[in-house]
Amino acid sequence: MNFHTRKWVKPEDLNPNGSLFGGRLLAWIDEEAALYTVVQLENPHIVTKFISEINFISAPKQGDIIEIGIEAVEFGRTSLTLSCEVRNKQTRKQILSIDKIVMVNLGEDGNPAPHGKTKIEYVKDRLV
Ligand SMILES: CC(=O)SCCNC(=O)CCNC(=O)[C@H](O)C(C)(C)COP(=O)(O)OP(=O)(O)OC[C@H]1O[C@@H](n2cnc3c(N)ncnc32)[C@H](O)[C@@H]1OP(=O)(O)O
């Protein structure tokens, strides 16, 4: 799993209990999943279709640095299924896990379209 994105938990990210607001974390994850999918499928027109159970394992506090990891689990015909882990960057303590995030590739008409991909590709390999 690649942990591409780091976030610094700031006052505006907190819930009234003083820990990271879950909705804020989900927004960061959704954006990360979308960016990962755009890069993998080489198409900016993708949507989040389905998110499985979300396990909030521990609560980050203000000042924590967290990192968001995404991994491709399955390439479907029009879909790409991802998994997600979030952990504390310094302590590696687990913060959240999601088994399945299903992203769907769209055509110009806005309907699901085959993406033609079967495996993870690395941008550096596309450049040579
Ligand atoms: C990044 C963002 O924030 S996007 C904003 C939030 N997302 C949205 O607004 C999306 C709203 N939903 C939609 O527009 C539609 O549901 C669509 C276009 C995504 C899909 O329409 P559908 O009629 O379900 O399409 P369809 O039945 O062809 O399924 C498309 C793919 O999704 C998969 N899929 C559909 N429903 C589910 C589900 N409940 N769970 C898992 N996978 C699913 C299908 O298996 C298929 O994958 P495959 O082609 O690899 O086999």
Side-chain angles (χ1 to χ4, degrees):
M1 180 167 295
N2 277 316
F3 288 80
H4 282 300
T5 292
R6 295 169 294 180
K7 292 282 184 185
W8 201 9
V9 179
K10 301 197 194 74
E12 61 266 31
D13 304 320
L14 303 180
N15 61 36
N17 296 320
S19 60
L20 176 60
F21 179 52
R24 178 83 74 202
L25 181 55
L26 293 179
W28 290 341
I29 290 168
D30 195 27
E31 183 170 0
E32 186 67 14
L35 291 172
Y36 185 98
T37 304
V38 166
V39 171
Q40 284 301 318
L41 302 185
E42 297 185 270
N43 178 12
H45 306 296
I46 53 91
V47 285
T48 311
K49 172 63 189 173
F50 175 85
I51 301 180
S52 71
E53 289 89 348
I54 300 162
N55 186 0
F56 289 94
I57 299 163
S58 68
K61 301 280 185 295
Q62 181 176 330
D64 285 355
I65 300 168
I66 68 169
E67 50 187 5
I68 300 170
I70 298 280
E71 188 170 66
V73 176
E74 190 184 340
F75 287 79
R77 196 176 78 92
T78 67
S79 68
L80 172 61
T81 302
L82 310 173
S83 68
C84 174
E85 301 277 341
V86 181
R87 66 188 185 191
N88 183 294
K89 170 123 187 81
Q90 280 133 326
T91 65
R92 297 284 162 96
K93 185 176 181 185
Q94 269 194 302
I95 293 167
L96 170 147
S97 70
I98 304 175
D99 284 343
K100 277 174 74 173
I101 303 175
V102 179
M103 310 298 293
V104 174
N105 186 68
L106 302 181
E108 290 195 348
D109 59 1
N111 291 318
H115 50 63
K117 305 286 186 181
T118 56
K119 61 177 173 49
I120 297 172
E121 291 176 5
Y122 297 96
V123 172
K124 66 176 169 53
D125 297 330
R126 290 184 186 142
L127 296 176
V128 292

